[in-house]
Amino acid sequence: MEHPAEKQRGPVVLRRGNRVEPTTTDQRLLDSRGPSDWVHTDPWRVLRIQAEFVEGFGALAEVPRAVTVFGSARTKRDHPEYELGRKLGAALAEAGFAAITGGGPGTMEAVNRGCSEAGGQSIGLGIELPFEQGLNPWVDLGVNFRYFFARKTMFIKYAQAFICLPGGFGTLDELFEALTLVQTKKVTKFPVVLFGRSYWGGLYEWVKNTVHAEGKIGDKDMALLHLTDDVDDAVHMVEEAYEAWGKTH
């Protein structure tokens, strides 16, 4: 299933030759260089930011129990990781969980595809980027964001677990943000699963043998990370955490 090249600009979709802007909304907000007229326009941006939160909350408020899955947008469809993502998405759907991804191509598409094909609720939260990248065609419920911080709130707020497939800086960012939120008890009973021992093993060992060994994190913090190669094992971890969470709510 293919779709034409497109660019997301918040809730707006630009396709087939529409002008691609050289900067993004996030960049224009955070980059203070340039003319001083930003002093006069920033207060109005608050309304746009507010609108993104309202739109996201409204779209996702009735989503059933869900799992956020992250991974590389660069994974090709013929790569073994794509098939693993597809199997994971299907397994989550069969266990009664919606699958939330960044809505992009690669591993995100694989998870959305597996979930959708298995009859689950496949959710994609897109972001405005300086290059063309629309929501993948397997997203059943999609929300597009201009601001990373609004989007990241939705990834956490509506999920009961977080699974990281092999990925780059974006995946690492979400991984450590999730760990920090659990560590500081901003969210509770939120398992963080690293899927792929050969990919994540080095990071896991560094956290264990350096960060933990030097006392920068405690035993409970180390226990927040779960490493696996097995789809059923990952889903089982999610189910166990959800059941434990349900007993306290």
Side-chain angles (χ1 to χ4, degrees), residues 117-193:
E117 289 176 333
Q121 188 163 14
S122 173
I123 300 168
L125 307 181
I127 186 69
E128 178 188 22
L129 295 172
F131 47 86
E132 294 184 1
Q133 179 179 325
L135 292 174
N136 70 69
W138 299 99
V139 168
D140 299 322
L141 171 60
V143 184
N144 293 305
F145 293 87
R146 291 183 173 93
Y147 299 103
F148 267 107
F149 52 83
R151 178 185 185 232
K152 290 167 80 171
T153 298
M154 306 304 156
F155 283 134
I156 299 294
K157 179 173 175 58
Y158 293 101
Q160 280 75 50
F162 194 99
I163 299 176
C164 293
L165 290 162
F169 285 157
T171 303
L172 290 168
D173 174 51
E174 296 294 346
L175 164 62
F176 284 106
E177 179 170 36
L179 287 170
T180 302
L181 289 172
V182 179
Q183 179 194 47
T184 56
K185 301 188 184 302
K186 300 298 184 182
V187 296
T188 58
K189 294 298 180 183
F190 195 96
V192 181
V193 180

Side-chain angles (χ1 to χ4, degrees), residues 4 12-14 53 60 93 100 112 118 124 129 147 182 189 208 217:
V12 178
V13 178
L14 302 176
F53 280 105
L60 302 173
I100 303 174
N112 285 135
L129 295 172
Y147 299 103
V182 179
K189 294 298 180 183
K208 179 181 178 181
I217 61 173

Side-chain angles (χ1 to χ4, degrees), residues 49-129:
I49 292 167
Q50 175 181 289
E52 291 221 337
F53 280 105
V54 170
E55 188 72 31
F57 292 155
L60 302 173
E62 296 184 4
V63 167
R65 59 183 190 168
V67 175
T68 293
V69 184
F70 267 86
S72 178
R74 303 185 185 194
T75 303
K76 304 300 182 184
R77 288 177 177 170
D78 59 354
H79 195 284
E81 287 172 8
Y82 186 95
E83 185 58 28
L84 278 175
R86 195 171 170 181
K87 289 179 179 178
L88 178 61
L92 289 172
E94 290 163 1
F97 290 92
I100 303 174
T101 79
T107 303
M108 292 176 281
E109 177 189 285
V111 173
N112 285 135
R113 181 175 180 176
C115 181
S116 182
E117 289 176 333
Q121 188 163 14
S122 173
I123 300 168
L125 307 181
I127 186 69
E128 178 188 22
L129 295 172

